[in-house]
Amino acid sequence: MNFLENTFNFILPQELNMYYCGKRYKTLNHEYGPEVRGHFLIVFVKEGNATILSETPHIRLKTGAVFFMFPNHRIHYKVDPDCKWTILWVGVYGSLVESYVKMLGLTPENPVFYPQNPDKIEDVLSRIYDASQNESVSGKIKCISLVQSFFSKLFENFSEKKIKNSHINEAVHLMRLNYNIGISVNDVAKKINIDRSYFTRIFKNEFGVTPGRWLNDFRLEKACELLCETDLPVSEIATSVGVFDSLYFSRLFKKKYDISPSDYRKENADKIHE
């Protein structure tokens, strides 16, 4: 039999847990999907090459890859013709899993990671599979600890710079997307699961300003566009860019541009839509 899978039933808080794990040995002409799972399915390619067909452009999978299938995301891959396909996998869920995946910089569009220690990845997944056969509470706890170890191995030799960049990129995306609903720096730090002071430090190192200053400047840039392109009252423009106190908005605007929002509009009146 070239396919083995163990299910795993252990009720724990939702930070990190496992549904199942398995192995497949030297299978020819294997194809998976199209299929959607409600959790993360992580596959380590010990041997073989395949193509992920559910992404455009298609993504290649090669020996040594770790492939993340995201919850509620369609997955379809096909192994190269006459290519032996040997893989190990684990199905996991929980908030810690989501945080680890974000730190690795992975997305449904960029789901493949090549660790520098494939032998260690294979070893810990094999140990997870062996431990999952022990039905005792002790065995189940050991299995969960090995899942933590699996993620630890993924981060070996993974540079701190990459982790910082993934945090910063996600933060900028959140602020650009949610500036108009009053998102704060605290909100952003909580969303990306890092301490606010650490977030402020790495953000300032990257951009030269604090995230609060960056967010205010971005809001004011959007306000300038609205002042030039619409005839909305200043108070509505303030609300539209996520500043719900119009007097505070006017102070911010004048401090940055050395002119009031109303005077800025007058100077750019020819840009307002008639």
Side-chain angles (χ1 to χ4, degrees):
M1 183 178 181
N2 63 1
F3 167 76
L4 299 167
E5 184 171 86
N6 288 337
T7 57
F8 189 78
N9 183 18
F10 189 39
I11 298 175
L12 278 177
Q14 302 297 304
E15 286 83 4
L16 185 147
N17 210 332
M18 184 176 84
Y19 279 124
Y20 52 81
C21 56
K23 306 177 181 181
R24 179 178 291 278
Y25 299 96
K26 298 184 181 298
T27 304
L28 290 174
N29 303 315
H30 179 65
E31 184 173 357
Y32 179 90
E35 188 165 339
V36 175
R37 302 258 177 167
H39 53 272
F40 284 97
L41 174 55
I42 308 172
V43 176
F44 169 68
V45 182
K46 175 178 170 57
E47 178 186 20
N49 300 301
T51 301
I52 303 174
L53 302 171
S54 49
E55 295 299 330
T56 303
H58 295 165
I59 300 172
R60 290 289 289 165
L61 282 175
K62 299 179 180 179
T63 298
V66 179
F67 171 38
F68 286 70
M69 303 185 201
F70 281 70
N72 306 314
H73 186 81
R74 181 177 177 271
I75 287 297
H76 181 203
Y77 72 79
K78 189 173 184 178
V79 178
D80 292 357
D82 301 320
C83 179
K84 293 180 179 178
W85 186 242
T86 299
I87 58 175
L88 298 88
W89 65 85
V90 59
V92 291
Y93 64 97
S95 57
L96 266 180
V97 178
E98 295 171 3
S99 296
Y100 291 153
V101 172
K102 287 180 181 179
M103 289 171 70
L104 288 167
L106 299 171
T107 65
E109 297 75 29
N110 178 38
V112 181
F113 178 74
Y114 283 91
Q116 298 182 33
N117 53 355
D119 291 343
K120 292 182 180 180
I121 300 299
E122 178 189 355
D123 176 68
V124 72
L125 286 172
S126 294
R127 290 163 62 199
I128 289 171
Y129 179 82
D130 292 340
S132 69
Q133 300 177 74
N134 186 335
E135 293 295 326
S136 69
V137 171
S138 173
K140 291 181 182 296
I141 293 173
K142 179 181 179 181
C143 193
I144 294 298
S145 71
L146 286 169
V147 174
Q148 283 277 29
S149 180
F150 165 69
F151 281 102
S152 173
K153 299 300 180 189
L154 287 180
F155 280 98
E156 282 187 2
N157 303 315
F158 189 78
S159 73
E160 182 70 13
K161 184 174 176 95
K162 288 184 179 179
I163 295 174
K164 288 178 180 177
N165 285 345
S166 70
H167 285 319
I168 291 170
N169 290 339
E170 185 181 2
V172 169
H173 175 72
L174 284 169
M175 289 190 285
R176 286 182 180 276
L177 195 64
N178 298 289
Y179 74 93
N180 60 319
I181 59 173
I183 194 170
S184 68
V185 174
N186 276 337
D187 295 332
V188 174
K190 288 179 182 177
K191 285 281 187 182
I192 62 177
N193 295 314
I194 62 173
D195 177 73
R196 173 176 172 157
S197 61
Y198 172 70
F199 168 51
T200 298
R201 186 167 67 252
I202 63 173
F203 192 98
K204 188 172 182 180
N205 287 341
E206 182 70 18
F207 290 101
V209 296
T210 65
R213 172 69 178 274
W214 188 97
L215 182 56
N216 278 340
D217 286 350
F218 185 75
R219 284 180 167 135
L220 292 175
E221 288 173 12
K222 294 296 182 182
C224 286
E225 293 176 10
L226 291 174
L227 286 166
C228 292
E229 298 172 4
T230 76
D231 56 1
L232 289 172
V234 170
S235 60
E236 290 186 21
I237 288 176
T239 301
S240 298
V241 299
V243 182
F244 303 114
D245 182 333
S246 59
L247 292 177
Y248 176 62
F249 167 76
S250 294
R251 287 199 301 270
L252 284 177
F253 195 97
K254 188 165 186 178
K255 183 177 181 180
K256 180 173 176 60
Y257 296 110
D258 199 29
I259 191 173
S260 71
S262 298
D263 288 340
Y264 181 92
R265 168 174 273 165
K266 290 175 184 176
E267 288 190 0
N268 295 274
D270 57 317
K271 298 179 183 178
I272 300 175
H273 293 313
E274 296 182 356

PDB file of all heavy atoms in Angstrom, residues 207-236:
ATOM      1  N   PHE A 207      10.639  52.821   7.068  1.00  0.00           N
ATOM      2  CA  PHE A 207      10.085  53.977   6.366  1.00  0.00           C
ATOM      3  C   PHE A 207      10.604  55.328   6.869  1.00  0.00           C
ATOM      4  O   PHE A 207      10.352  56.354   6.241  1.00  0.00           O
ATOM      5  CB  PHE A 207       8.552  53.970   6.460  1.00  0.00           C
ATOM      6  CG  PHE A 207       7.894  52.886   5.661  1.00  0.00           C
ATOM      7  CD1 PHE A 207       7.447  51.737   6.267  1.00  0.00           C
ATOM      8  CD2 PHE A 207       7.734  53.018   4.284  1.00  0.00           C
ATOM      9  CE1 PHE A 207       6.842  50.726   5.523  1.00  0.00           C
ATOM     10  CE2 PHE A 207       7.140  52.028   3.542  1.00  0.00           C
ATOM     11  CZ  PHE A 207       6.688  50.867   4.155  1.00  0.00           C
ATOM     12  N   GLY A 208      11.274  55.321   8.012  1.00  0.00           N
ATOM     13  CA  GLY A 208      11.780  56.579   8.548  1.00  0.00           C
ATOM     14  C   GLY A 208      10.771  57.376   9.329  1.00  0.00           C
ATOM     15  O   GLY A 208      11.091  58.455   9.852  1.00  0.00           O
ATOM     16  N   VAL A 209       9.531  56.904   9.418  1.00  0.00           N
ATOM     17  CA  VAL A 209       8.482  57.546  10.222  1.00  0.00           C
ATOM     18  C   VAL A 209       7.741  56.458  10.993  1.00  0.00           C
ATOM     19  O   VAL A 209       7.791  55.275  10.632  1.00  0.00           O
ATOM     20  CB  VAL A 209       7.481  58.333   9.347  1.00  0.00           C
ATOM     21  CG1 VAL A 209       8.171  59.476   8.637  1.00  0.00           C
ATOM     22  CG2 VAL A 209       6.767  57.419   8.349  1.00  0.00           C
ATOM     23  N   THR A 210       7.037  56.864  12.033  1.00  0.00           N
ATOM     24  CA  THR A 210       6.244  55.901  12.796  1.00  0.00           C
ATOM     25  C   THR A 210       5.028  55.471  11.983  1.00  0.00           C
ATOM     26  O   THR A 210       4.593  56.202  11.064  1.00  0.00           O
ATOM     27  CB  THR A 210       5.758  56.519  14.115  1.00  0.00           C
ATOM     28  OG1 THR A 210       4.859  57.599  13.808  1.00  0.00           O
ATOM     29  CG2 THR A 210       6.923  57.025  14.948  1.00  0.00           C
ATOM     30  N   PRO A 211       4.429  54.318  12.294  1.00  0.00           N
ATOM     31  CA  PRO A 211       3.218  53.917  11.567  1.00  0.00           C
ATOM     32  C   PRO A 211       2.074  54.902  11.760  1.00  0.00           C
ATOM     33  O   PRO A 211       1.265  55.108  10.855  1.00  0.00           O
ATOM     34  CB  PRO A 211       2.888  52.534  12.139  1.00  0.00           C
ATOM     35  CG  PRO A 211       3.653  52.417  13.404  1.00  0.00           C
ATOM     36  CD  PRO A 211       4.865  53.269  13.233  1.00  0.00           C
ATOM     37  N   GLY A 212       2.008  55.551  12.939  1.00  0.00           N
ATOM     38  CA  GLY A 212       0.963  56.550  13.150  1.00  0.00           C
ATOM     39  C   GLY A 212       1.130  57.736  12.215  1.00  0.00           C
ATOM     40  O   GLY A 212       0.149  58.231  11.643  1.00  0.00           O
ATOM     41  N   ARG A 213       2.361  58.193  12.044  1.00  0.00           N
ATOM     42  CA  ARG A 213       2.628  59.303  11.121  1.00  0.00           C
ATOM     43  C   ARG A 213       2.333  58.882   9.682  1.00  0.00           C
ATOM     44  O   ARG A 213       1.740  59.634   8.904  1.00  0.00           O
ATOM     45  CB  ARG A 213       4.094  59.732  11.267  1.00  0.00           C
ATOM     46  CG  ARG A 213       4.565  60.748  10.231  1.00  0.00           C
ATOM     47  CD  ARG A 213       3.918  62.114  10.437  1.00  0.00           C
ATOM     48  NE  ARG A 213       4.431  63.063   9.455  1.00  0.00           N
ATOM     49  CZ  ARG A 213       5.539  63.776   9.615  1.00  0.00           C
ATOM     50  NH1 ARG A 213       6.264  63.674  10.730  1.00  0.00           N
ATOM     51  NH2 ARG A 213       5.932  64.605   8.683  1.00  0.00           N
ATOM     52  N   TRP A 214       2.754  57.672   9.322  1.00  0.00           N
ATOM     53  CA  TRP A 214       2.501  57.176   7.959  1.00  0.00           C
ATOM     54  C   TRP A 214       1.006  57.128   7.682  1.00  0.00           C
ATOM     55  O   TRP A 214       0.546  57.540   6.612  1.00  0.00           O
ATOM     56  CB  TRP A 214       3.101  55.785   7.799  1.00  0.00           C
ATOM     57  CG  TRP A 214       3.067  55.253   6.402  1.00  0.00           C
ATOM     58  CD1 TRP A 214       4.077  55.288   5.481  1.00  0.00           C
ATOM     59  CD2 TRP A 214       1.956  54.610   5.754  1.00  0.00           C
ATOM     60  NE1 TRP A 214       3.669  54.714   4.286  1.00  0.00           N
ATOM     61  CE2 TRP A 214       2.375  54.280   4.427  1.00  0.00           C
ATOM     62  CE3 TRP A 214       0.669  54.274   6.136  1.00  0.00           C
ATOM     63  CZ2 TRP A 214       1.536  53.648   3.515  1.00  0.00           C
ATOM     64  CZ3 TRP A 214      -0.168  53.642   5.229  1.00  0.00           C
ATOM     65  CH2 TRP A 214       0.265  53.334   3.936  1.00  0.00           C
ATOM     66  N   LEU A 215       0.228  56.627   8.657  1.00  0.00           N
ATOM     67  CA  LEU A 215      -1.219  56.488   8.478  1.00  0.00           C
ATOM     68  C   LEU A 215      -1.875  57.856   8.350  1.00  0.00           C
ATOM     69  O   LEU A 215      -2.743  58.064   7.478  1.00  0.00           O
ATOM     70  CB  LEU A 215      -1.805  55.704   9.655  1.00  0.00           C
ATOM     71  CG  LEU A 215      -3.305  55.417   9.638  1.00  0.00           C
ATOM     72  CD1 LEU A 215      -3.722  54.697   8.368  1.00  0.00           C
ATOM     73  CD2 LEU A 215      -3.702  54.605  10.875  1.00  0.00           C
ATOM     74  N   ASN A 216      -1.470  58.817   9.186  1.00  0.00           N
ATOM     75  CA  ASN A 216      -2.032  60.168   9.080  1.00  0.00           C
ATOM     76  C   ASN A 216      -1.691  60.806   7.735  1.00  0.00           C
ATOM     77  O   ASN A 216      -2.538  61.437   7.093  1.00  0.00           O
ATOM     78  CB  ASN A 216      -1.513  61.047  10.215  1.00  0.00           C
ATOM     79  CG  ASN A 216      -2.274  60.843  11.500  1.00  0.00           C
ATOM     80  OD1 ASN A 216      -3.402  60.337  11.480  1.00  0.00           O
ATOM     81  ND2 ASN A 216      -1.678  61.209  12.612  1.00  0.00           N
ATOM     82  N   ASP A 217      -0.442  60.635   7.291  1.00  0.00           N
ATOM     83  CA  ASP A 217      -0.038  61.209   6.006  1.00  0.00           C
ATOM     84  C   ASP A 217      -0.830  60.591   4.862  1.00  0.00           C
ATOM     85  O   ASP A 217      -1.226  61.291   3.914  1.00  0.00           O
ATOM     86  CB  ASP A 217       1.458  60.994   5.778  1.00  0.00           C
ATOM     87  CG  ASP A 217       2.318  61.918   6.635  1.00  0.00           C
ATOM     88  OD1 ASP A 217       1.756  62.845   7.249  1.00  0.00           O
ATOM     89  OD2 ASP A 217       3.541  61.699   6.692  1.00  0.00           O
ATOM     90  N   PHE A 218      -1.060  59.288   4.946  1.00  0.00           N
ATOM     91  CA  PHE A 218      -1.828  58.620   3.894  1.00  0.00           C
ATOM     92  C   PHE A 218      -3.263  59.145   3.871  1.00  0.00           C
ATOM     93  O   PHE A 218      -3.825  59.412   2.796  1.00  0.00           O
ATOM     94  CB  PHE A 218      -1.822  57.112   4.126  1.00  0.00           C
ATOM     95  CG  PHE A 218      -2.483  56.320   3.041  1.00  0.00           C
ATOM     96  CD1 PHE A 218      -1.854  56.131   1.815  1.00  0.00           C
ATOM     97  CD2 PHE A 218      -3.744  55.773   3.234  1.00  0.00           C
ATOM     98  CE1 PHE A 218      -2.465  55.402   0.801  1.00  0.00           C
ATOM     99  CE2 PHE A 218      -4.366  55.043   2.232  1.00  0.00           C
ATOM    100  CZ  PHE A 218      -3.721  54.863   1.012  1.00  0.00           C
ATOM    101  N   ARG A 219      -3.849  59.347   5.043  1.00  0.00           N
ATOM    102  CA  ARG A 219      -5.217  59.887   5.124  1.00  0.00           C
ATOM    103  C   ARG A 219      -5.273  61.300   4.542  1.00  0.00           C
ATOM    104  O   ARG A 219      -6.223  61.652   3.821  1.00  0.00           O
ATOM    105  CB  ARG A 219      -5.684  59.890   6.576  1.00  0.00           C
ATOM    106  CG  ARG A 219      -6.078  58.512   7.102  1.00  0.00           C
ATOM    107  CD  ARG A 219      -6.525  58.566   8.532  1.00  0.00           C
ATOM    108  NE  ARG A 219      -7.178  57.311   8.894  1.00  0.00           N
ATOM    109  CZ  ARG A 219      -6.953  56.646  10.019  1.00  0.00           C
ATOM    110  NH1 ARG A 219      -6.095  57.126  10.910  1.00  0.00           N
ATOM    111  NH2 ARG A 219      -7.589  55.513  10.271  1.00  0.00           N
ATOM    112  N   LEU A 220      -4.267  62.092   4.846  1.00  0.00           N
ATOM    113  CA  LEU A 220      -4.257  63.468   4.347  1.00  0.00           C
ATOM    114  C   LEU A 220      -4.071  63.511   2.832  1.00  0.00           C
ATOM    115  O   LEU A 220      -4.643  64.375   2.159  1.00  0.00           O
ATOM    116  CB  LEU A 220      -3.170  64.272   5.060  1.00  0.00           C
ATOM    117  CG  LEU A 220      -3.426  64.520   6.561  1.00  0.00           C
ATOM    118  CD1 LEU A 220      -2.226  65.208   7.197  1.00  0.00           C
ATOM    119  CD2 LEU A 220      -4.699  65.327   6.794  1.00  0.00           C
ATOM    120  N   GLU A 221      -3.276  62.597   2.284  1.00  0.00           N
ATOM    121  CA  GLU A 221      -3.143  62.521   0.824  1.00  0.00           C
ATOM    122  C   GLU A 221      -4.492  62.208   0.176  1.00  0.00           C
ATOM    123  O   GLU A 221      -4.862  62.794  -0.854  1.00  0.00           O
ATOM    124  CB  GLU A 221      -2.128  61.443   0.460  1.00  0.00           C
ATOM    125  CG  GLU A 221      -0.684  61.819   0.780  1.00  0.00           C
ATOM    126  CD  GLU A 221       0.266  60.654   0.565  1.00  0.00           C
ATOM    127  OE1 GLU A 221      -0.151  59.651  -0.040  1.00  0.00           O
ATOM    128  OE2 GLU A 221       1.422  60.755   1.012  1.00  0.00           O
ATOM    129  N   LYS A 222      -5.220  61.281   0.774  1.00  0.00           N
ATOM    130  CA  LYS A 222      -6.552  60.941   0.260  1.00  0.00           C
ATOM    131  C   LYS A 222      -7.504  62.125   0.418  1.00  0.00           C
ATOM    132  O   LYS A 222      -8.366  62.364  -0.445  1.00  0.00           O
ATOM    133  CB  LYS A 222      -7.112  59.708   0.975  1.00  0.00           C
ATOM    134  CG  LYS A 222      -6.341  58.428   0.709  1.00  0.00           C
ATOM    135  CD  LYS A 222      -6.432  58.050  -0.752  1.00  0.00           C
ATOM    136  CE  LYS A 222      -5.716  56.755  -1.058  1.00  0.00           C
ATOM    137  NZ  LYS A 222      -5.761  56.404  -2.496  1.00  0.00           N
ATOM    138  N   ALA A 223      -7.344  62.868   1.513  1.00  0.00           N
ATOM    139  CA  ALA A 223      -8.190  64.046   1.725  1.00  0.00           C
ATOM    140  C   ALA A 223      -7.919  65.101   0.658  1.00  0.00           C
ATOM    141  O   ALA A 223      -8.854  65.740   0.148  1.00  0.00           O
ATOM    142  CB  ALA A 223      -7.936  64.623   3.114  1.00  0.00           C
ATOM    143  N   CYS A 224      -6.656  65.275   0.286  1.00  0.00           N
ATOM    144  CA  CYS A 224      -6.319  66.229  -0.771  1.00  0.00           C
ATOM    145  C   CYS A 224      -7.017  65.863  -2.077  1.00  0.00           C
ATOM    146  O   CYS A 224      -7.524  66.732  -2.795  1.00  0.00           O
ATOM    147  CB  CYS A 224      -4.810  66.274  -0.982  1.00  0.00           C
ATOM    148  SG  CYS A 224      -3.915  67.130   0.330  1.00  0.00           S
ATOM    149  N   GLU A 225      -7.035  64.579  -2.391  1.00  0.00           N
ATOM    150  CA  GLU A 225      -7.711  64.127  -3.609  1.00  0.00           C
ATOM    151  C   GLU A 225      -9.194  64.472  -3.558  1.00  0.00           C
ATOM    152  O   GLU A 225      -9.772  64.961  -4.542  1.00  0.00           O
ATOM    153  CB  GLU A 225      -7.530  62.619  -3.776  1.00  0.00           C
ATOM    154  CG  GLU A 225      -6.093  62.189  -4.053  1.00  0.00           C
ATOM    155  CD  GLU A 225      -5.956  60.685  -4.109  1.00  0.00           C
ATOM    156  OE1 GLU A 225      -6.990  59.981  -4.120  1.00  0.00           O
ATOM    157  OE2 GLU A 225      -4.808  60.199  -4.136  1.00  0.00           O
ATOM    158  N   LEU A 226      -9.827  64.256  -2.409  1.00  0.00           N
ATOM    159  CA  LEU A 226     -11.254  64.529  -2.277  1.00  0.00           C
ATOM    160  C   LEU A 226     -11.524  66.033  -2.319  1.00  0.00           C
ATOM    161  O   LEU A 226     -12.546  66.478  -2.870  1.00  0.00           O
ATOM    162  CB  LEU A 226     -11.787  63.930  -0.976  1.00  0.00           C
ATOM    163  CG  LEU A 226     -11.828  62.396  -0.912  1.00  0.00           C
ATOM    164  CD1 LEU A 226     -12.226  61.924   0.478  1.00  0.00           C
ATOM    165  CD2 LEU A 226     -12.800  61.840  -1.952  1.00  0.00           C
ATOM    166  N   LEU A 227     -10.641  66.831  -1.740  1.00  0.00           N
ATOM    167  CA  LEU A 227     -10.814  68.283  -1.785  1.00  0.00           C
ATOM    168  C   LEU A 227     -10.736  68.810  -3.214  1.00  0.00           C
ATOM    169  O   LEU A 227     -11.449  69.743  -3.599  1.00  0.00           O
ATOM    170  CB  LEU A 227      -9.745  68.961  -0.920  1.00  0.00           C
ATOM    171  CG  LEU A 227      -9.932  68.850   0.590  1.00  0.00           C
ATOM    172  CD1 LEU A 227      -8.662  69.255   1.315  1.00  0.00           C
ATOM    173  CD2 LEU A 227     -11.110  69.714   1.064  1.00  0.00           C
ATOM    174  N   CYS A 228      -9.880  68.179  -4.016  1.00  0.00           N
ATOM    175  CA  CYS A 228      -9.693  68.635  -5.395  1.00  0.00           C
ATOM    176  C   CYS A 228     -10.732  68.068  -6.355  1.00  0.00           C
ATOM    177  O   CYS A 228     -11.045  68.695  -7.374  1.00  0.00           O
ATOM    178  CB  CYS A 228      -8.296  68.251  -5.887  1.00  0.00           C
ATOM    179  SG  CYS A 228      -6.963  69.133  -5.061  1.00  0.00           S
ATOM    180  N   GLU A 229     -11.257  66.893  -6.050  1.00  0.00           N
ATOM    181  CA  GLU A 229     -12.077  66.181  -7.026  1.00  0.00           C
ATOM    182  C   GLU A 229     -13.560  66.141  -6.675  1.00  0.00           C
ATOM    183  O   GLU A 229     -14.371  65.655  -7.470  1.00  0.00           O
ATOM    184  CB  GLU A 229     -11.555  64.751  -7.182  1.00  0.00           C
ATOM    185  CG  GLU A 229     -10.125  64.695  -7.706  1.00  0.00           C
ATOM    186  CD  GLU A 229      -9.525  63.299  -7.675  1.00  0.00           C
ATOM    187  OE1 GLU A 229     -10.264  62.352  -7.308  1.00  0.00           O
ATOM    188  OE2 GLU A 229      -8.338  63.148  -8.006  1.00  0.00           O
ATOM    189  N   THR A 230     -13.923  66.628  -5.470  1.00  0.00           N
ATOM    190  CA  THR A 230     -15.332  66.617  -5.073  1.00  0.00           C
ATOM    191  C   THR A 230     -15.678  67.955  -4.434  1.00  0.00           C
ATOM    192  O   THR A 230     -14.798  68.771  -4.131  1.00  0.00           O
ATOM    193  CB  THR A 230     -15.637  65.500  -4.055  1.00  0.00           C
ATOM    194  OG1 THR A 230     -15.152  65.892  -2.752  1.00  0.00           O
ATOM    195  CG2 THR A 230     -14.992  64.177  -4.464  1.00  0.00           C
ATOM    196  N   ASP A 231     -16.970  68.168  -4.220  1.00  0.00           N
ATOM    197  CA  ASP A 231     -17.401  69.351  -3.475  1.00  0.00           C
ATOM    198  C   ASP A 231     -17.974  68.954  -2.115  1.00  0.00           C
ATOM    199  O   ASP A 231     -18.781  69.668  -1.532  1.00  0.00           O
ATOM    200  CB  ASP A 231     -18.425  70.150  -4.281  1.00  0.00           C
ATOM    201  CG  ASP A 231     -19.632  69.304  -4.680  1.00  0.00           C
ATOM    202  OD1 ASP A 231     -19.672  68.105  -4.304  1.00  0.00           O
ATOM    203  OD2 ASP A 231     -20.528  69.837  -5.362  1.00  0.00           O
ATOM    204  N   LEU A 232     -17.542  67.803  -1.579  1.00  0.00           N
ATOM    205  CA  LEU A 232     -17.979  67.364  -0.261  1.00  0.00           C
ATOM    206  C   LEU A 232     -17.549  68.365   0.802  1.00  0.00           C
ATOM    207  O   LEU A 232     -16.456  68.953   0.703  1.00  0.00           O
ATOM    208  CB  LEU A 232     -17.369  65.996   0.079  1.00  0.00           C
ATOM    209  CG  LEU A 232     -17.894  64.774  -0.669  1.00  0.00           C
ATOM    210  CD1 LEU A 232     -17.029  63.560  -0.344  1.00  0.00           C
ATOM    211  CD2 LEU A 232     -19.346  64.505  -0.292  1.00  0.00           C
ATOM    212  N   PRO A 233     -18.370  68.601   1.825  1.00  0.00           N
ATOM    213  CA  PRO A 233     -17.946  69.455   2.939  1.00  0.00           C
ATOM    214  C   PRO A 233     -16.695  68.880   3.614  1.00  0.00           C
ATOM    215  O   PRO A 233     -16.464  67.669   3.602  1.00  0.00           O
ATOM    216  CB  PRO A 233     -19.149  69.423   3.890  1.00  0.00           C
ATOM    217  CG  PRO A 233     -20.304  68.991   3.048  1.00  0.00           C
ATOM    218  CD  PRO A 233     -19.742  68.088   1.991  1.00  0.00           C
ATOM    219  N   VAL A 234     -15.900  69.766   4.215  1.00  0.00           N
ATOM    220  CA  VAL A 234     -14.662  69.333   4.870  1.00  0.00           C
ATOM    221  C   VAL A 234     -14.960  68.292   5.948  1.00  0.00           C
ATOM    222  O   VAL A 234     -14.214  67.322   6.109  1.00  0.00           O
ATOM    223  CB  VAL A 234     -13.919  70.542   5.468  1.00  0.00           C
ATOM    224  CG1 VAL A 234     -12.767  70.082   6.361  1.00  0.00           C
ATOM    225  CG2 VAL A 234     -13.416  71.455   4.362  1.00  0.00           C
ATOM    226  N   SER A 235     -16.052  68.464   6.672  1.00  0.00           N
ATOM    227  CA  SER A 235     -16.382  67.501   7.732  1.00  0.00           C
ATOM    228  C   SER A 235     -16.627  66.110   7.168  1.00  0.00           C
ATOM    229  O   SER A 235     -16.226  65.101   7.769  1.00  0.00           O
ATOM    230  CB  SER A 235     -17.614  67.972   8.507  1.00  0.00           C
ATOM    231  OG  SER A 235     -18.738  68.102   7.639  1.00  0.00           O
ATOM    232  N   GLU A 236     -17.268  66.010   5.997  1.00  0.00           N
ATOM    233  CA  GLU A 236     -17.511  64.715   5.378  1.00  0.00           C
ATOM    234  C   GLU A 236     -16.229  64.115   4.815  1.00  0.00           C
ATOM    235  O   GLU A 236     -16.042  62.890   4.826  1.00  0.00           O
ATOM    236  CB  GLU A 236     -18.565  64.845   4.278  1.00  0.00           C
ATOM    237  CG  GLU A 236     -19.958  65.114   4.810  1.00  0.00           C
ATOM    238  CD  GLU A 236     -21.015  65.106   3.716  1.00  0.00           C
ATOM    239  OE1 GLU A 236     -20.748  64.515   2.639  1.00  0.00           O
ATOM    240  OE2 GLU A 236     -22.093  65.691   3.930  1.00  0.00           O
TER     241      GLU A 236
END
